[in-house]
Amino acid sequence: MFSGQVEERDGSYVIEVPAHELQLGDVNENSVYRVAMLSRSTNPKEETDQELEREHSSLEPPVGEGETRTVDIESIGEQGDGISRVERGYIVIVPDTEKGERVRIEINQVQENVAFADVVERLDYYE
């Protein structure tokens, strides 16, 4: 999920999706996708572009260095590393894992859009 502006262009409505919001290969040309749009404004005054930008830039990553979590590996990236998503779709890269694995990880590096972690323990899916 991400916040964006709806623009009218040549008789159509357009929402630009930043590349970092999609995992490579998630979108195929000439395919049909469903998109849900939710109004964020809770008061009659509409939010300005500047207010939206300020809110988005103030969001901190939902993980911190040294934190441990239990995650499911959802896919494998181009480099062969496992990819998991946590709150707000934030991506955590976990080397030496396979798609479908459930692992306990320790976050060792946090960046604005992605974090990197090491496996602490491999878990049974039902744990």
Side-chain angles (χ1 to χ4, degrees), residues 9-126:
R9 291 188 201 157
D10 300 322
S12 294
Y13 293 102
V14 177
I15 302 171
E16 289 193 21
V17 179
H20 70 269
E21 294 291 344
L22 299 172
Q23 181 181 347
L24 188 61
D26 283 352
V27 178
N28 296 311
E29 192 173 342
N30 299 322
S31 293
V32 176
Y33 297 90
R34 294 181 183 190
V35 177
M37 294 189 301
L38 306 170
S39 175
R40 296 191 39 198
S41 182
T42 57
N43 60 31
K45 177 186 163 285
E46 290 198 29
E47 296 173 327
T48 65
D49 290 342
Q50 190 175 27
E51 288 169 329
L52 287 171
E53 179 78 24
R54 185 171 39 248
E55 181 180 319
H56 181 67
S57 66
S58 69
L59 291 176
E60 294 291 321
V63 297
E65 290 184 16
E67 182 178 339
T68 59
R69 290 210 175 197
T70 299
V71 298
D72 295 323
I73 304 302
E74 299 173 12
S75 60
I76 301 297
E78 289 182 2
Q79 306 292 322
D81 296 326
I83 297 174
S84 181
R85 294 178 193 266
V86 294
E87 292 87 17
R88 301 188 323 261
Y90 186 82
I91 295 172
V92 179
I93 307 290
V94 187
D96 302 320
T97 54
E98 295 180 15
K99 182 177 179 179
E101 264 192 290
R102 176 167 285 176
V103 291
R104 184 164 294 119
I105 59 169
E106 181 175 346
I107 306 293
N108 57 38
Q109 183 181 6
V110 177
Q111 297 178 3
E112 183 179 335
N113 297 321
V114 65
F116 299 88
D118 291 320
V119 174
V120 174
E121 181 181 4
R122 295 180 193 283
L123 302 170
D124 181 38
Y125 186 78
Y126 296 102

